[in-house]
Amino acid sequence: MGIFDFLKKQKIPIDFSDKNVSELTLKSDLLEQTLIDNGLGFYVDYLSEIRLAAKNKNESEFKKLVVSRELFGGSGALWEIHIENRTEYRKFNTQFCDYLDLISEMGIKHRALKQTRKLMPKLN
């Protein structure tokens, strides 16, 4: 054990417990339905891939899909969508924040997720 070993980041495994995978599935389904209802169904396949990686407990695929430009990138990323209907936008915002919170609780610790979550406070 070296003198500076405490500075090394320890790899924390993703928590693919049945509870978390089930909750991710539920949150994905709700988010997907809101997207479909508002003409943004093209994001659904990507969210389904994330859910499938979680069900298969495929940590590297899950991380790759979650920490991506499709969710957190620039123009066209899921976090940046806008829905004209204010009620629907609030619903999407709340659902996406819940989704991000769960992903974080499962063990994804990435600056893009943290920054996006900070920029997207839950709307009342």
Side-chain angles (χ1 to χ4, degrees):
M1 184 162 152
I3 193 163
F4 292 106
D5 284 347
F6 68 93
L7 292 175
K8 292 181 183 176
K9 288 186 178 182
Q10 293 183 355
K11 183 180 176 194
I12 300 170
I14 303 299
D15 181 1
F16 291 122
S17 65
D18 290 342
K19 176 185 173 282
N20 281 345
V21 172
S22 177
E23 195 171 335
L24 182 71
T25 299
L26 175 63
K27 290 182 185 312
S28 292
D29 288 345
L30 293 171
L31 190 55
E32 289 170 9
Q33 190 58 53
T34 299
L35 291 167
I36 289 168
D37 291 347
N38 289 282
L40 298 163
F42 46 88
Y43 291 102
V44 171
D45 288 341
Y46 198 79
L47 293 173
S48 294
E49 288 181 42
I50 293 171
R51 182 176 51 241
L52 184 61
K55 283 184 179 179
N56 292 335
K57 298 180 185 337
N58 185 333
E59 189 167 322
S60 63
E61 183 72 8
F62 183 75
K63 285 179 179 179
K64 183 182 96 181
L65 290 167
V66 169
V67 182
S68 66
R69 62 184 171 90
E70 286 81 4
L71 291 185
F72 303 114
S75 181
L78 186 57
W79 82 276
E80 285 193 333
I81 69 163
H82 180 72
I83 299 172
E84 288 295 320
N85 181 308
R86 190 163 171 80
T87 303
E88 288 293 306
Y89 179 70
R90 287 175 188 257
K91 183 166 78 170
F92 163 77
N93 188 285
T94 299
Q95 289 170 342
F96 193 62
C97 286
D98 289 345
Y99 186 80
L100 295 180
D101 291 344
L102 176 61
I103 288 172
S104 181
E105 289 170 20
M106 289 175 72
I108 298 289
K109 307 295 182 208
H110 192 272
R111 64 179 173 77
L113 187 145
K114 291 176 187 176
Q115 181 180 6
T116 301
R117 184 59 185 90
K118 190 183 288 188
L119 291 171
M120 288 187 75
K122 287 184 186 175
L123 300 173
N124 295 323

